[in-house]
Every structure is written in structure tokens, then in C-alpha cells.
């Protein structure tokens, strides 16, 4: 069974940073794209970023480009999301997900297979 376990969320002030982690099991991690999603209260799920298996390519949503960085450690089946220059509007539950989508040009078309339980990020002064 696919298992995805996120950690690293918390309460921070605007401008601060966090690093989220997601440990995966139950599939060949290195060959799969891993996405981060988020959902703010009362809003739809938003795709945030992806690290593509094999190539190591990354794609980002415009709302986080330049502030967030996705990376992965295939040896430890872990994907990370570094969140810098956090804003109150980044407040959300963050999820990692196994993603069978594809990239075309500079755009990622996500297709979420599984996602974890999430870790809460709250940005507030």
C-alpha cells in the first residue's frame, strides 16, 4: 500500500521559513513524480509544486515560484518543500502526493494518485 507521511508544519510569522518533509513507501519512489498540494480553509485544493522522478525536473505554481523549493532524497524515499518568505496567504494544510501527471513545456499537468494526511502551516503575526 502507498503510504505518505508529512511533517514539519507549524506556526510562523510572515517572512519566516519552514521545511516540510514527506516520507513515502509502497511504490518505487525514485521513478515517480511527487507533488505538494495545499488547501486553505474554505478553498479548493491548490497544486503547489512537483519533483519529477527520473529527470529530477521541478515545476511550481506561480503563487509560490521564487519562494518555495521542492527537492527529493531518493535514497530515503523523502520529498521536501522549503517554504521561504512565508505570507499569511500561505496558511493551509499541506499535502504530499504521488503524481502520475506529466510536463508539457513549462507546465505541469498533475494527476494525483494518492496523498498523505497533511501538515498544517499557519503564517500569522
Amino acid at each position: 500500500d502507498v503510504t505518505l507521511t508529512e511533517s514539519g508544519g507549524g506556526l510562523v510569522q510572515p517572512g519566516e521559513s519552514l521545511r516540510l518533509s514527506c516520507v513515502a513507501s509502497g511504490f518505487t519512489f525514485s521513478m515517480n513524480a511527487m507533488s505538494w498540494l495545499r488547501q486553505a480553509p474554505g478553498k479548493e485544493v491548490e497544486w503547489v509544486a512537483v519533483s519529477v522522478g527520473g529527470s529530477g525536473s521541478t515545476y511550481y505554481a506561480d503563487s509560490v515560484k521564487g519562494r518555495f523549493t521542492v527537492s527529493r532524497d531518493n535514497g530515503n524515499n523523502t520529498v521536501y518543500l522549503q517554504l521561504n518568505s512565508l505570507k499569511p496567504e500561505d496558511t493551509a494544510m499541506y499535502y504530499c502526493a504521488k503524481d502520475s501527471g506529466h510536463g508539457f513545456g513549462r507546465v505541469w499537468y498533475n494527476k494525483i494518485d494518492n496523498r498523505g494526511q497533511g501538515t498544517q502551516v499557519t503564517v500569522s503575526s
Side-chain angles (χ1 to χ4, degrees), residues 36-117:
W36 285 94
L37 315 170
R38 67 183 181 184
Q39 188 170 26
K43 295 192 175 181
E44 306 255 327
V45 175
E46 177 187 13
W47 174 83
V48 174
V50 65
S51 169
V52 181
S55 70
S57 300
T58 58
Y59 297 77
Y60 297 92
D62 287 344
S63 57
V64 306
K65 203 171 291 184
R67 299 189 299 124
F68 292 7
T69 303
V70 61
S71 61
R72 63 196 296 155
D73 177 352
N74 289 331
N76 288 304
N77 285 7
T78 302
V79 60
Y80 302 98
L81 186 67
Q82 178 70 39
L83 292 69
N84 294 334
S85 303
L86 281 161
K87 305 175 182 180
E89 52 264 43
D90 294 318
T91 295
M93 185 71 79
Y94 283 71
Y95 304 90
C96 74
K98 179 176 174 287
D99 191 333
S100 58
H102 66 278
F104 186 78
R106 303 179 69 175
V107 177
W108 180 260
Y109 296 90
N110 68 80
K111 182 178 183 294
I112 303 302
D113 300 322
N114 311 84
R115 76 179 195 189
Q117 295 298 306

